[in-house]
Amino acid sequence: QLQASGGGLAQAGGSLRLSCAASGRTFSSYFMGWFRQAPGKEREFVAAVTQSGGSSAYADSVKGRFTISRDNAKNTVYLQMNSLEPEDTAVYICAAGLSYAKSPSLYGYWGLGTQVTVSS
């Protein structure tokens, strides 16, 4: 089970930090990803991190502004979002999978998401 938190309202240029807590004892076995979905749009990849946290990947739209990290001792993955833009407004969803991938279809476990709204 995945539970995301930390969303809210931010001004353009501001920052938010999302957390996703996982239950179970196999968290460190999974690649973790963040996706987002805006109203009327398809779910899109934001960032992914390997099991150890040693490697990460980002969508071009967030590269240099967002940072994904994980703490396996706490069964938690984070998304630090800086220099937020109104275009970042979406529901942010964390996911766990067995592949280091950008495709949502390769993630088998999904949380419910947390709303991020960025005002201009």
Side-chain angles (χ1 to χ4, degrees):
Q1 187 174 5
L2 301 172
Q3 181 64 53
S5 61
L9 178 63
Q11 291 188 335
S15 299
L16 285 173
R17 188 193 194 204
L18 306 184
S19 299
C20 176
S23 59
R25 293 178 287 182
T26 60
F27 176 76
S28 61
S29 299
Y30 289 91
F31 296 96
M32 297 299 297
W34 283 98
F35 293 79
R36 65 187 182 187
Q37 189 163 18
K41 294 187 177 181
E42 293 186 353
R43 187 169 296 184
E44 66 171 347
F45 170 78
V46 175
V49 65
T50 56
Q51 294 104 321
S52 68
S55 294
S56 56
Y58 299 90
D60 289 343
S61 58
V62 307
K63 200 172 295 183
R65 300 189 297 121
F66 291 9
T67 302
I68 187 171
S69 61
R70 66 190 296 165
D71 186 337
N72 286 340
K74 296 182 178 179
N75 280 13
T76 301
V77 62
Y78 305 96
L79 186 68
Q80 178 67 44
M81 305 186 296
N82 299 329
S83 302
L84 284 164
E85 302 170 353
E87 293 74 21
D88 295 320
T89 296
V91 174
Y92 283 72
I93 310 157
C94 61
L98 297 177
S99 298
Y100 186 44
K102 298 181 179 181
S103 172
S105 64
L106 295 178
Y107 289 80
Y109 302 93
W110 294 85
L112 292 179
T114 184
Q115 176 70 47
V116 171
T117 303
V118 183
S119 62
S120 57

